Amino acid sequence: MILDGKALSKRIKAELTEQTAAFTAETGIVPCLATVLVGEDPASAVYVRSKRRSCKKIGYESRHHHLDAGITQEALLQLVEDLNGDDAVHGILVQLPLPKHLDADAIIDAIALEKDVDGFHPRSVGHVALKKPGFAPCTPAGVMRLLEESGINPSGKRAVVIGRSAIVGLPALLLLTHANATVTVCHSRTSREDLEELVRKADILVAAVGRPEFVPGEWIKPGAVVIDVGINRVPNPADPDNPKGMLVGDVAFATAAERASWITPVPGGVGPMTIAMLMTNTLIAAQRTAGVA
Ligand code: NDP
């Protein structure tokens, strides 16, 4: 069966719309997400536009700062400080990647923890590790919500996470561990032989590598749950002249779908859930300022 992140994300956003209307009516507070985009990277612009569109649909205020690619570290830090100090702003999202001359870690570190709705701040990740309240990075949080809403309980299951990045693989390991799965993490130094052996035994596979169809479908254990986080643009054989190509995941979908019990499509699986979790975190951040969350 398909783990339909698009449909679930739509439902979550509809619920948030209702909750936001009630919250705003009760408190007079309109949740506000500030987005910061530096430069003209087309993919980043698309992501930010889609986040802002979601904000407006739900009833949040969307404040946008589009900055010149040449902005200095000091000026960007100052903007983050200003947003930290602005009581009308509940969430701050600095779209990554930033241009090379900027120190992204230092910028993310400067975001106030209670406004870190992306969950990228090192202390947010620390809070996830220690099961303290805070904001988990949106993509792995979206993965967990997708499992939960589909009635898939990771407890006692063997989970394999491919990838150990700070925003996906590592927090996915933490969240699955907290959900009582037995988790193994694979990365670029894992041998292909070990990877195959581990994937073949995985009840739950989370692939977050960034390589098209990196995991052959034949490796999937019959009945496994496959969560494909990867988003890779490749040429479309059905439309080879289209420069946009097509999107595929890290798992060879067609063959994997024949063996898996549940599988996320790419696109339409984890991607929409990431935005749904960002929207959820933004409302929670606003509710916390009013002392109601
Ligand atoms: P990173 O490039 O930060 O991390 C990739 C990870 O894959 C690293 O841990 C790396 O290992 C590992 N890796 C690389 N090569 C291999 C290999 N041969 N065998 C095993 N592991 C390997 O990527 P992200 O985590 O940011 O993103 C991963 C994918 O998920 C990308 O396609 C990205 O576009 C997508 N993504 C999707 C989102 C969504 O909303 N759906 C959100 C965020 C990301 P090592 O640590 O050793 O280098």
Side-chain angles (χ1 to χ4, degrees):
M1 283 192 279
I2 295 293
L3 284 165
D4 189 344
K6 198 171 168 190
L8 177 56
S9 142
K10 211 171 155 191
R11 206 182 84 210
I12 291 171
K13 287 191 216 166
E15 287 166 7
L16 289 172
T17 305
E18 275 184 25
Q19 290 163 8
T20 302
F23 171 70
T24 302
E26 196 182 317
T27 61
I29 298 172
V30 179
C32 171
L33 176 68
T35 47
V36 179
L37 176 65
V38 181
E40 306 300 330
D41 177 53
S44 294
V46 169
Y47 289 141
V48 169
R49 212 176 303 133
S50 145
K51 290 164 189 172
R52 297 192 67 206
R53 210 179 301 129
S54 291
C55 280
K56 286 178 191 160
K57 268 194 181 163
I58 293 171
Y60 301 164
E61 188 188 339
S62 164
R63 271 204 217 166
H64 185 52
H65 298 265
H66 187 178
L67 308 170
D68 188 85
I71 188 168
T72 62
Q73 179 82 6
E74 292 67 32
L76 186 51
L77 278 173
Q78 186 58 54
L79 172 61
V80 171
E81 282 307 327
D82 292 347
L83 294 172
N84 283 342
D86 187 338
D87 290 342
V89 171
H90 305 102
I92 302 172
L93 180 144
V94 178
Q95 185 65 45
L96 300 178
L98 291 174
K100 294 252 179 301
H101 69 281
L102 296 169
D103 178 352
D105 286 346
I107 302 294
I108 299 299
D109 283 7
I111 296 174
L113 204 59
E114 65 277 12
K115 299 191 181 190
D116 178 37
V117 286
D118 238 351
F120 287 179
H121 194 288
R123 280 181 61 198
S124 294
V125 181
H127 280 211
V128 173
L130 301 174
K131 284 211 260 186
K132 286 186 176 180
F135 296 119
C138 296
T139 299
V143 167
M144 298 308 289
R145 183 81 185 263
L146 202 48
L147 293 175
E148 192 185 308
E149 297 275 348
S150 310
I152 300 162
N153 183 355
S155 181
K157 303 270 169 32
R158 284 184 191 162
V160 167
V161 178
I162 315 180
R164 56 177 170 183
S165 72
I167 61 168
V168 189
L170 191 65
L173 151 74
L174 297 170
L175 292 169
L176 284 164
T177 303
H178 294 330
N180 298 316
T182 305
V183 193
T184 308
V185 176
C186 303
H187 43 75
S188 64
R189 309 297 167 88
T190 306
S191 72
R192 193 77 183 160
E193 294 71 32
D194 284 350
L195 188 71
E196 174 173 355
E197 194 185 325
L198 290 162
V199 170
R200 282 188 182 276
K201 288 186 189 149
D203 302 309
I204 299 175
L205 173 69
V206 178
V209 187
R211 294 189 179 203
E213 306 191 332
F214 176 74
V215 177
E218 293 75 18
W219 288 9
I220 303 302
K221 179 179 170 183
V225 175
V226 176
I227 308 285
D228 194 346
V229 181
I231 302 176
N232 309 288
R233 199 171 283 282
V234 296
N236 183 349
D239 188 8
D241 296 331
N242 186 345
K244 279 191 171 171
M246 60 187 278
L247 296 180
V248 299
D250 289 345
V251 179
F253 182 85
T255 40
E258 286 170 12
R259 301 169 71 90
S261 59
W262 291 92
I263 186 165
T264 55
V266 176
V270 177
M273 290 303 296
T274 300
I275 295 195
M277 297 321 289
L278 175 72
M279 295 298 122
T280 303
N281 287 350
T282 302
L283 178 58
I284 293 171
Q287 288 172 329
R288 283 184 183 155
T289 64
V292 295

